[in-house]
Amino acid sequence: GIQVEQSPPDLILQEGANSTLRCNFSDSVNNLQWFHQNPWGQLINLFYIPSGTKQNGRLSATTVATERYSLLYISSSQTTDSGVYFCAVEPHSSYKLIFGSGTRLLVRP
Amino acid sequence: GAVVSQHPSWVICKSGTSVKIECRSLDFQATTMFWYRQFPKQSLMLMATSNEGSKATYEQGVEKDKFLINHASLTLSTLTVTSAHPEDSSFYICSARGGTELNTEAFFGQGTRLTVV
């Protein structure tokens, strides 16, 4: 099956810093989403981005489907950005969403 | 975005009993829903795909007789953990898509934290 790898696994930032999270996948995909899991476990939809670039406030994401990777940019990080960031992909001709291992982010004041 | 509601948010049950978890799509119809399981500090693992009006499709290694899935309507899927044991304690999360086609965004419920004592 498809492999989804996220890096780095852990990241500690000082408030105000910028960061880039990466998601590599081993096969072609129909769909790619980024999520933020808050401390209560709720998955917050950040981006639905099978290809191209999108921005939402301090967050932006880019997916290069032909090279099988996606990047999530966080600018001017805030303590509320802390949590786990997951990318998830839908393999070609499959309706399932497969999750990467996540990046655990801690933003310190 | 679309809203998926899961109930209960947390449940504690005795070993040997069964627990039912509900997943509802509140503002859209979902012919397909998905059930995931997450252990502490781990990623989400897909357990099964729930199809309205037909049998669920289980991932390899998931016991279909222990994790009963029913998708009786276009807005409701249920997961019943039968004869629960402490090793079934976990965080269970459901997901639904806004359509039946590929390339549609998935939305998630708030999750259910199950503790079996």
Side-chain angles (χ1 to χ4, degrees):
Chain A
I2 193 168
Q3 302 298 312
V4 185
E5 296 180 353
Q6 290 186 242
S7 59
D10 296 281
L11 184 60
I12 300 175
L13 298 175
Q14 205 64 34
E15 196 169 28
N18 304 326
S19 64
T20 300
L21 282 57
R22 188 177 181 101
C23 174
N24 292 333
F25 42 97
S26 60
D27 207 347
S28 58
V29 299
N30 297 318
N31 173 19
L32 186 145
Q33 291 185 238
W34 283 97
F35 299 92
H36 175 211
Q37 188 169 39
N38 67 20
W40 298 271
Q42 173 77 58
L43 282 171
I44 310 298
N45 286 41
L46 296 178
F47 293 101
Y48 167 70
I49 187 166
S51 64
T53 297
K54 290 186 178 181
Q55 182 160 4
N56 184 2
R58 296 182 295 103
L59 303 181
S60 64
T62 295
T63 297
V64 184
T66 53
E67 297 187 21
R68 299 179 183 170
Y69 73 88
S70 182
L71 302 174
L72 177 68
Y73 305 96
I74 304 175
S75 64
S76 303
S77 58
Q78 300 176 358
T79 56
T80 52
D81 294 331
S82 296
V84 184
Y85 290 80
F86 289 106
C87 75
V89 302
E90 177 187 305
H92 192 58
S93 299
S94 169
Y95 203 48
K96 305 173 186 179
L97 209 57
I98 307 300
F99 279 74
S101 52
T103 292
R104 191 171 301 273
L105 173 66
L106 174 63
V107 181
R108 289 180 170 159
Chain B
V3 179
V4 178
S5 178
Q6 196 171 331
H7 178 81
S9 298
W10 59 270
V11 58
I12 301 173
C13 71
K14 291 185 178 180
S15 188
T17 62
S18 296
V19 173
K20 180 184 284 189
I21 303 170
E22 293 187 349
C23 179
R24 295 181 184 272
S25 56
L26 296 187
D27 51 2
F28 65 100
Q29 294 183 334
T31 56
T32 304
M33 293 184 176
F34 303 87
W35 288 95
Y36 291 82
R37 183 174 181 174
Q38 185 181 31
F39 290 108
K41 298 190 184 302
Q42 294 188 20
S43 185
L44 281 75
M45 298 300 296
L46 180 65
M47 299 175 65
T49 302
S50 170
N51 304 297
E52 188 267 337
S54 65
K55 291 183 179 180
T57 305
Y58 291 83
E59 295 299 302
Q60 191 172 9
V62 177
E63 299 176 58
K64 62 181 180 180
D65 295 331
K66 167 168 271 300
F67 300 101
L68 300 181
I69 292 172
N70 184 278
H71 194 153
S73 77
L74 288 172
T75 59
L76 173 64
S77 175
T78 60
L79 168 68
T80 301
V81 183
T82 63
S83 187
H85 291 284
E87 56 265 31
D88 298 323
S89 298
S90 189
F91 191 59
Y92 294 87
I93 313 175
C94 71
S95 168
R97 310 292 272 284
T100 57
E101 299 81 19
L102 298 174
N103 300 332
T104 57
E105 189 172 359
F107 295 90
F108 285 76
Q110 60 268 57
T112 297
R113 196 165 303 281
L114 170 64
T115 303
V116 184
V117 298

